[in-house]
């Protein structure tokens, strides 16, 4: 009987995640609403805190919820996005803009996340951000490389005034000015038609092929403190990832 008990324990969190997933899909917990607290879920399923947290981690990785300190688990999607993902372990693997490129700030302002923006950023509906919009260039005469939208917590708005703002990654500026460091980062890459509002500044046709990269940076207590959305017209940016076979001694 021991092996059966062990197997049941190891899959318990998956069962809980599957049930919560079904309830989210059916609308029991609608988009924008909170899931029950960890304590409530522990009581409901007669499960340990670790088991409940593992179940919530599955929902987080599926893009169904976000977790915020002092708030709880917020539902942000009814269905997991149909995506294939690839994980990397080093920020250097996907922060590959050349040192010769720079951001030319176009404007900055405060913004409140509506439903569409909250879905893109994976934040709660109505969250307030400080938005910096910029064009990434290699020089002032060449066609723009892309359009960048940088969303930071309002308390970090001062980064836009730094002399090195256009040439230093914003998350590095935040670390230097405010002591906020990255504990977890996420990258999404997808193709889409170039939005009409970006066609003129990027000197490209509306709806033409474009590559969009979304980078999310989380600090302590899983707080999302910066999201960068960069859109590149076709043919102006190449993303590369190097892989090398690693020989390991037999265990």
């Amino acid at each position: 009987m021991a092996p059966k008990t062990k197997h049941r324990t190891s899959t318990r969190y998956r069962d809980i995640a599957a049930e919560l997933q079904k309830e989210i899909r059916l609308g029991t917990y609608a988009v924008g609403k909170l899931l029950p607290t960890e304590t409530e879920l522990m009581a409901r399923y007669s499960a340990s805190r670790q088991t409940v947290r593992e179940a919530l981690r599955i929902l987080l990785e599926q893009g169904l919820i976000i977790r915020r300190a002092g708030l709880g688990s917020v539902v942000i999607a009814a269905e997991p996005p149909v995506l294939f993902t690839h994980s990397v372990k080093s920020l250097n693997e996907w922060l590959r803009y050349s040192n010769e490129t720079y951001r030319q700030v176009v404007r900055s302002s405060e913004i409140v996340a509506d439903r569409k923006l909250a879905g893109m950023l994976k934040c709660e509906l109505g969250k307030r951000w400080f938005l910096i919009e910029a064009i990434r260039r290699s020089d002032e005469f060449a066609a723009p490389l892309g359009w960048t939208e940088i969303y930071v917590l309002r308390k970090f708005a001062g980064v836009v005034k730094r002399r090195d703002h256009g040439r230093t990654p914003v998350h590095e500026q935040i670390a230097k000015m405010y002591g906020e460091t990255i504990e977890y980062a996420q990258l999404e890459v997808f193709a889409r038609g170039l939005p009409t509002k970006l066609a003129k500044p990027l000197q490209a046709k509306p709806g033409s092929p474009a590559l969009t990269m979304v980078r999310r940076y989380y600090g302590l207590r899983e707080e999302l403190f910066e999201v960068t959305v960069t859109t590149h017209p076709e043919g102006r940016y190449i993303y590369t990832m190097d892989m090398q076979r690693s020989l390991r001694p037999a265990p």
Side-chain angles (χ1 to χ4, degrees):
M1 295 297 292
K4 182 177 181 180
T5 302
K6 182 177 180 181
H7 175 73
R8 179 58 183 168
T9 301
S10 66
T11 60
R12 177 60 170 154
Y13 70 95
R14 296 184 185 278
D15 294 339
I16 295 173
E19 187 168 336
L20 291 173
Q21 193 179 35
K22 180 179 179 180
E23 291 177 337
I24 290 172
R25 184 171 62 250
L26 294 176
T28 304
Y29 304 112
V31 173
K33 301 298 182 180
L34 290 170
L35 287 183
T37 65
E38 288 184 1
T39 301
E40 290 170 338
L41 291 174
M42 289 166 60
R44 173 181 173 181
Y45 293 106
S46 299
S48 68
R49 187 174 299 276
Q50 182 62 29
T51 297
V52 167
R53 286 181 174 176
E54 284 298 300
L56 294 175
R57 179 184 60 80
I58 290 177
L59 301 184
L60 180 68
E61 292 178 349
Q62 291 176 337
L64 295 177
I65 66 171
I66 55 174
R67 303 193 68 192
R68 292 292 175 264
L71 182 64
S73 300
V74 184
V75 178
I76 61 172
E79 292 284 352
V82 182
L83 297 172
F84 291 95
T85 61
H86 179 80
S87 299
V88 295
K89 294 183 178 180
S90 170
L91 287 177
N92 291 331
E93 292 186 34
W94 47 273
L95 292 178
R96 288 190 175 271
Y97 289 117
S98 167
N99 291 333
E100 297 177 358
T101 69
Y102 63 94
R103 296 185 309 274
Q104 176 188 353
V105 175
V106 176
R107 56 183 169 265
S108 59
S109 61
E110 291 192 6
I111 189 171
V112 177
D114 58 14
R115 190 171 299 278
K116 181 178 180 181
L117 182 59
M120 170 74 79
L121 303 187
K122 290 191 176 178
C123 71
E124 56 267 29
L125 188 66
K127 186 175 181 67
R128 295 181 178 275
W129 295 93
F130 184 75
L131 169 62
I132 304 166
E133 298 177 273
I135 295 175
R136 181 166 287 278
R137 296 184 179 277
S138 56
D139 61 61
E140 61 180 306
F141 303 107
L145 299 177
W147 179 271
T148 299
E149 298 171 355
I150 304 171
Y151 300 84
V152 300
L153 297 180
R154 291 189 297 168
K155 62 184 178 181
F156 299 147
V159 295
V160 77
K161 299 177 182 179
R162 288 177 60 96
R163 293 181 61 183
D164 65 343
H165 176 71
R167 292 189 176 273
T168 304
V170 170
H171 66 84
E172 292 183 9
Q173 298 175 38
I174 291 175
K176 291 177 181 178
M177 292 181 67
Y178 303 100
E180 181 72 80
T181 56
I182 299 171
E183 297 296 324
Y184 167 71
Q186 182 183 66
L187 169 69
E188 289 183 2
V189 183
F190 57 91
R192 63 171 174 169
L194 186 68
T196 300
K197 68 177 183 178
L198 301 185
K200 185 176 180 179
L202 292 181
Q203 301 172 24
K205 294 181 179 180
S208 59
L211 181 72
T212 295
M213 308 185 77
V214 182
R215 297 174 173 87
R216 302 182 184 91
Y217 303 94
Y218 297 83
L220 294 175
R221 299 181 299 279
E222 300 181 348
E223 182 181 32
L224 181 66
F225 70 87
E226 179 190 340
V227 183
T228 300
V229 182
T230 305
T231 300
H232 302 278
E234 181 182 23
R236 301 189 196 174
Y237 177 77
I238 298 175
Y239 174 75
T240 63
M241 185 188 305
D242 301 323
M243 298 184 184
Q244 181 175 341
R245 182 183 180 188
S246 176
L247 298 178
R248 299 180 180 177

